């Protein structure tokens, strides 16, 4: 798992005499679990939206996550952190939309397995291209100066950058919900998720909507890659790990479920982070154990049915 899941970010000295060390330590791990969970949520939502609308299980999602981080590395000196946080996901989204238009779209009418195989191969191609262009070694990514250090929150202190990541991801989730629920395109996307043929019969072309949805999902993955770069650094295989976690989150939340991805992402983030503290040997396995328990009791995931009704 990435370093940002293990990281201890806050010195405790000023409050050790007031609150027991255990509570301070627990607060820190819970807060870090929220950061990890919200990053899982952002990646899983992109994955979930693409599957829900297009029906493609995008195995290349993690590769686009890594690509977002690498574009951030490439452009950070010219644009600064704020600039790359906006521009890098846009560049990766445009690249994803080109791939959807030129290649993926041709596979929609065929066997669904073709889309899965295509994205699997695409993931390997992107990772190898990253190694060729940027090299096999990783890159450090400094925390922006404005977000360096810690900030007091009541009796606790916490990393400014981790707090920024929490606020940023929460804003993205709310914005995405608003887009899907309150805009015309969001209404079409939700309707197309339930019944694409009905949308076509209403005279609405779905090709451009599919491209928009694919680009949106890819942009979310790239954005998570940029946000995680200062926490875990950047390296070619960074997408494999997050993609695995995102698939677990989507499976637990319910394939194609918006709110399911949010609940499951936060749950997985907390369980993995707390396992690192209390049961380190089982930290990697904890999310899979949770997934097994959920699937045994709710085969469609926590909120899988709600995507079909899109309440």
């Amino acid at each position: 798992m990435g370093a940002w899941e293990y990281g201890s970010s806050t010195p405790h000295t000023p409050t050790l005499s007031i609150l027991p060390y255990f509570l301070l330590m627990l607060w820190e791990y819970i807060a870090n679990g929220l950061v990890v969970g919200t990053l899982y949520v952002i990646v899983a939502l992109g994955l979930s939206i693409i599957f829900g609308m297009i029906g493609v299980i995008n195995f290349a999602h993690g590769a686009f996550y890594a690509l977002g981080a690498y574009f951030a590395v490439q452009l950070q000196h010219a644009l600064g952190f704020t600039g790359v946080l906006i521009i890098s996901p846009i560049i990766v989204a445009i690249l994803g939309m080109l791939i959807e238009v030129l290649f993926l779209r041709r596979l929609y009418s065929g066997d669904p397995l073709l889309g899965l195989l295509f994205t699997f191969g695409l993931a390997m191609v992107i990772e190898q291209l990253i190694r060729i262009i940027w090299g096999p070694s990783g890159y450090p990514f400094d925390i922006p100066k404005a977000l360096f250090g810690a900030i007091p929150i009541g009796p606790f202190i916490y990393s400014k950058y981790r707090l920024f990541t929490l606020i940023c991801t929460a804003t993205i989730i709310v914005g995405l919900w608003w887009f899907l629920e309150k805009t015309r395109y969001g209404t079409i996307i939700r309707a197309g998720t339930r019944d694409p043929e009905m949308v076509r019969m209403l005279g609405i072309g779905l090709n451009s909507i599919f491209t928009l949805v694919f680009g949106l999902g890819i942009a979310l993955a790239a954005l998570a890659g940029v946000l995680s770069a200062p926490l875990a650094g950047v390296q070619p295989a960074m997408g494999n790990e997050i993609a695995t976690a995102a698939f677990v989150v989507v499976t637990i939340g319910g394939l194609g479920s918006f709110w399911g991805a949010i609940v499951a992402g936060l749950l997985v983030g907390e369980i993995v982070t707390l396992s690192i503290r209390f049961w380190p040997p089982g930290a990697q396995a904890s999310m899979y154990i949770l997934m097994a328990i959920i699937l045994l009791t709710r085969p469609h995931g926590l909120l899988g049915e709600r995507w079909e009704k899109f309440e």
Side-chain angles (χ1 to χ4, degrees):
M1 303 300 287
W4 38 272
E5 292 171 337
Y6 297 90
S8 176
S9 61
T10 60
H12 312 120
T13 306
T15 50
L16 273 177
S17 59
I18 302 173
L19 291 174
Y21 171 77
F22 177 78
L23 289 180
L24 290 170
M25 178 272 297
L26 189 62
W27 141 257
E28 184 175 328
Y29 273 86
I30 289 175
N32 288 344
L34 282 177
V35 174
V36 174
T38 52
L39 289 173
Y40 285 165
V41 168
I42 295 298
V43 179
L45 279 177
L47 197 64
S48 188
I49 289 171
I50 290 173
F51 174 79
M53 182 70 191
I54 305 176
V56 171
I57 299 176
N58 182 22
F59 270 97
H61 214 64
F64 287 113
Y65 166 89
L67 207 53
Y70 269 94
F71 276 123
V73 168
Q74 189 71 41
L75 300 173
Q76 63 173 330
H77 295 299
L79 302 177
F81 183 73
T82 304
V84 298
L85 192 60
I86 298 170
I87 298 300
S88 182
I90 292 176
I91 294 174
V92 179
I94 292 172
L95 180 63
M97 288 191 286
L98 284 175
I99 291 172
E100 193 274 341
V101 171
L102 295 176
F103 304 107
L104 195 57
R105 183 178 295 179
R106 301 169 186 267
L107 307 178
Y108 292 158
S109 58
D111 190 326
L113 188 61
L114 294 176
L116 189 149
L117 291 174
F118 174 78
T119 57
F120 182 74
L122 181 63
M124 292 190 287
V125 169
I126 292 175
E127 183 176 331
Q128 291 309 313
L129 285 176
I130 287 175
R131 292 179 190 275
I132 292 171
I133 295 172
W134 285 286
S137 301
Y139 290 87
F141 196 108
D142 294 334
I143 293 176
K145 290 182 179 177
L147 299 174
F148 192 81
I151 186 172
I153 303 176
F156 308 103
I157 54 176
Y158 195 61
S159 160
K160 286 183 182 177
Y161 183 75
R162 289 172 187 266
L163 184 62
F164 166 79
T165 303
L166 270 178
I167 295 172
C168 186
T169 50
T171 304
I172 292 166
I173 291 169
V174 172
L176 187 60
W177 173 84
W178 177 85
F179 172 75
L180 291 173
E181 292 288 334
K182 304 297 182 182
T183 68
R184 178 175 179 273
Y185 279 111
T187 302
I188 295 172
I189 290 172
R190 289 187 290 118
T193 302
R194 292 186 57 182
D195 194 342
E197 291 305 318
M198 180 271 292
V199 175
R200 286 193 178 94
M201 290 176 67
L202 292 174
I204 300 173
L206 283 181
N207 283 343
S208 60
I209 302 298
F210 282 177
T211 304
L212 172 68
V213 167
F214 195 77
L216 178 62
I218 295 302
L220 290 173
L223 182 62
V226 179
L227 286 171
S228 71
L231 298 174
V234 178
Q235 47 94 10
M238 62 186 290
N240 298 333
E241 179 185 322
I242 194 75
T244 302
F247 277 111
V248 170
V249 167
V250 170
T251 303
I252 291 174
L255 202 57
S257 170
F258 181 90
W259 294 109
I262 294 174
V263 173
L266 296 177
L267 195 58
V268 169
E270 288 295 345
I271 285 178
V272 169
T273 307
L274 291 174
S275 296
I276 290 169
R277 174 62 183 85
F278 294 106
W279 188 36
Q284 295 281 357
S286 60
M287 71 170 81
Y288 303 109
I289 294 172
L290 175 65
M291 182 174 69
I293 293 172
I294 296 295
L295 291 181
L296 285 173
T297 53
R298 294 183 64 86
H300 296 293
L302 291 174
L303 300 173
E305 293 182 356
R306 290 191 176 181
W307 177 263
E308 295 176 1
K309 298 176 181 177
F310 224 103
E311 295 174 351

